[in-house]
Amino acid sequence: MEYFPGLPPTEVIQLAEEYIMNTYSRLPLVLTKGEGVRVWDEEGREYLDFVAGLAVNSLGHCHPRVVAAIKEQAGLLMHCSNLYYSLPQVSLAKFLVEHTSFNKVFFCNSGAEAVEAGLKLARKYAYKSRGPGCFEIVAAQGSFHGRTYGAVTATGQPKYHQGFEPMVPGFKYIPFNDVAALREAVNGKTAAVLLEPVQGEGGVYPASPEFLRAARQITTEIGAVLIFDEVQCGLGRTGRFLAQEHYGVTSDLTCLAKALGGGFPMGALLSTDAVAPGFGPGDHASTFGGNPLAAAAAFAALRALVDEKLVENAGGVGVYFRERLAALGRETGLLKEVRGLGLMIGAVTSVPAKEVVTACQARGLIVNAVKDDTLRFVPPLNIGREDVDRAVAILKEGLLAVSNSKDDRN
Ligand SMILES: *Cc1c(COP(=O)(O)O)cnc(C)c1O
């Protein structure tokens, strides 16, 4: 390999600080290898990875079918322009359509781009079907949709807007799960309502069934488009192929990314046949979107997801994990609430969540703090109960260590 082999972790971190823009508050951990639910750092220490690339590595690390597909396609044709056709791309599109209620796919490279494509398609569709002036987008407070200007404007968290204003015009925000506010916000100028069926980065909050049903009903009445951002909650994470299936509500557009490529960067926008003609040739594009290498990785990842019944496993193990967390909360008094769907789980801590993350990492468990008092667990979907048991045992030690150090200080 042509980078610096055997560089000690402190020096890797120093190089990062010197050469990489300071946009992440990173943890001091240099990862070198992954297999299944396990990752290893530079010194060979093993960790149980319950962050899984932030809901990306749903098949675990380096799934053999994804590795094989990437190796094979990389030696065949990595990239060709979307001015031409490729077999991996059409195979993947057909698979996505056959496993969902949707009819057409647009490929891109990330979650933000999938949201961006959804917002643009919704506005163009409104323009073509209802005339100019129907451009408003209604989104939820506490949402997260990505970092491009459209996606970050849709993100209903002021901290992500601060200093970037003016944001894209035409966006409105309502409290999540507030049906009355939704009815109030949607009108003849609404192009789309954009929602996460389970809010992820905002703290792991599942939508209420009434809220999603109301969103479907109101948008249908007005001829507006309902967009579900399933970048995090989609593709089996919640125990259904799409999270919206739990609710019996079908959106017009659905945004996918994160787990789609099995670890390879990949995004997609799914559309119904009714809305898809909003885009015509030249209306939207992506140089890399759905290129043969990315599509081959995603096709292998999705087939593994279905063949290995990981959607069902996520549902079953998810219930077990939430039960174990609830029991840990009762036992220690250090978890105040456990919420989520499938293997997308949030736990509210009564000690600082970031300190718990550090304490768990020192004991061999990687978890994420999504808020100052909330841990997020998005492990691979192929974990078993024994992995959950190990994670819960380490979490207990971590919680107690943080709690005891607090007592000592008092
Ligand atoms: C992560 C995320 C995004 C953004 O995805 P990127 O690939 O980082 O652009 C958008 N929406 C949701 C719900 C996400 O969790």
Side-chain angles (χ1 to χ4, degrees):
M1 303 229 195
E2 290 176 23
Y3 46 76
F4 316 104
L7 204 63
T10 49
E11 287 182 41
V12 175
I13 292 166
Q14 256 170 28
L15 284 176
E17 274 163 15
E18 190 170 348
Y19 293 113
I20 298 177
M21 273 200 216
N22 183 24
T23 65
Y24 302 98
S25 35
R26 297 189 213 245
L27 295 152
L29 179 59
V30 182
L31 294 171
T32 54
K33 199 176 82 165
E35 191 187 320
V37 66
R38 282 166 177 73
V39 288
W40 287 266
D41 69 13
E42 275 221 321
E43 279 149 344
R45 268 191 300 262
E46 184 183 308
Y47 301 84
L48 207 51
D49 186 4
F50 273 44
V51 170
L54 273 178
V56 167
N57 302 105
S58 284
L59 303 174
H61 294 276
C62 299
H63 190 285
R65 287 175 67 171
V66 177
V67 172
I70 290 174
K71 278 186 180 165
E72 190 187 337
Q73 190 61 44
L76 212 54
L77 181 69
M78 262 190 236
H79 178 79
C80 67
S81 163
N82 277 312
L83 296 174
Y84 311 99
Y85 299 93
S86 84
L87 190 56
Q89 191 181 101
V90 294
S91 306
L92 175 62
K94 182 168 183 283
F95 187 98
L96 284 166
V97 167
E98 284 172 354
H99 286 81
T100 63
S101 62
F102 297 92
N103 313 107
K104 292 275 191 292
V105 188
F106 173 82
F107 288 113
C108 51
N109 313 286
S110 67
E113 285 175 72
V115 170
E116 206 70 37
L119 296 172
K120 287 182 72 180
L121 176 53
R123 280 191 173 172
K124 196 80 171 198
Y125 172 76
Y127 176 84
K128 285 186 179 172
S129 62
R130 293 153 66 204
C134 311
F135 56 78
E136 283 185 358
I137 311 289
V138 176
Q141 291 166 6
S143 62
F144 184 80
H145 299 294
R147 305 302 193 123
T148 57
Y149 252 109
V152 82
T153 299
T155 295
Q157 301 191 53
K159 65 177 179 188
Y160 293 131
H161 293 181
Q162 203 184 8
F164 292 118
E165 299 92 346
M167 307 310 286
V168 179
F171 285 72
K172 281 186 185 173
Y173 311 92
I174 56 160
F176 193 58
N177 283 340
D178 186 334
V179 174
L182 178 66
R183 289 192 191 282
E184 175 95 18
V186 177
N187 58 42
K189 283 163 64 178
T190 307
V193 172
L194 169 63
L195 297 169
E196 293 158 90
V198 183
Q199 286 193 336
E201 200 267 353
V204 190
Y205 293 99
S208 71
E210 306 77 57
F211 187 59
L212 294 195
R213 271 188 236 127
R216 179 66 284 175
Q217 189 206 344
I218 298 163
T219 47
T220 302
E221 273 167 26
I222 246 152
V225 168
L226 179 61
I227 311 174
F228 283 159
D229 179 349
E230 296 223 18
V231 167
Q232 188 166 155
C233 64
L235 302 176
R237 169 74 34 205
T238 66
R240 295 289 182 95
F241 193 75
L242 295 179
Q244 58 197 281
E245 294 166 24
H246 284 284
Y247 296 87
V249 174
T250 307
S251 61
D252 303 295
L253 301 177
T254 290
C255 309
L256 298 176
K258 291 207 163 92
L260 180 56
F264 202 86
M266 180 59 151
L269 177 71
L270 309 181
S271 175
T272 59
D273 265 337
V275 175
F279 276 163
D283 281 341
H284 196 53
S286 167
T287 296
F288 287 117
N291 90 358
L293 189 57
F299 189 45
L302 291 186
R303 280 188 309 160
L305 189 81
V306 170
D307 291 350
E308 295 173 17
K309 304 214 178 323
L310 301 189
V311 183
E312 295 82 347
N313 191 63
V317 175
V319 169
Y320 177 71
F321 192 6
R322 289 201 301 283
E323 282 170 4
R324 289 296 317 266
L325 288 171
L328 181 62
R330 287 192 297 274
E331 184 191 337
T332 61
L334 297 174
L335 295 180
K336 292 194 277 193
E337 189 191 339
V338 177
R339 54 177 183 252
L341 263 181
L343 283 173
M344 182 170 177
I345 299 173
V348 182
T349 54
S350 49
V351 288
K354 287 205 174 92
E355 292 181 30
V356 179
V357 167
T358 303
C360 287
Q361 189 178 304
R363 291 165 176 78
L365 171 68
I366 300 182
V367 291
N368 169 252
V370 76
K371 284 182 171 191
D372 289 340
D373 69 345
T374 309
L375 297 169
R376 170 173 46 174
F377 306 94
V378 281
L381 308 186
N382 49 9
I383 59 168
R385 290 180 176 218
E386 63 290 351
D387 299 312
V388 168
D389 291 343
R390 256 195 75 201
V392 170
I394 297 174
L395 177 63
K396 179 179 171 182
E397 285 177 28
L399 282 166
L400 290 175
V402 173
S403 171
N404 290 338
S405 75
K406 284 269 165 313
D407 292 345
D408 291 348
R409 269 176 267 164
N410 289 341

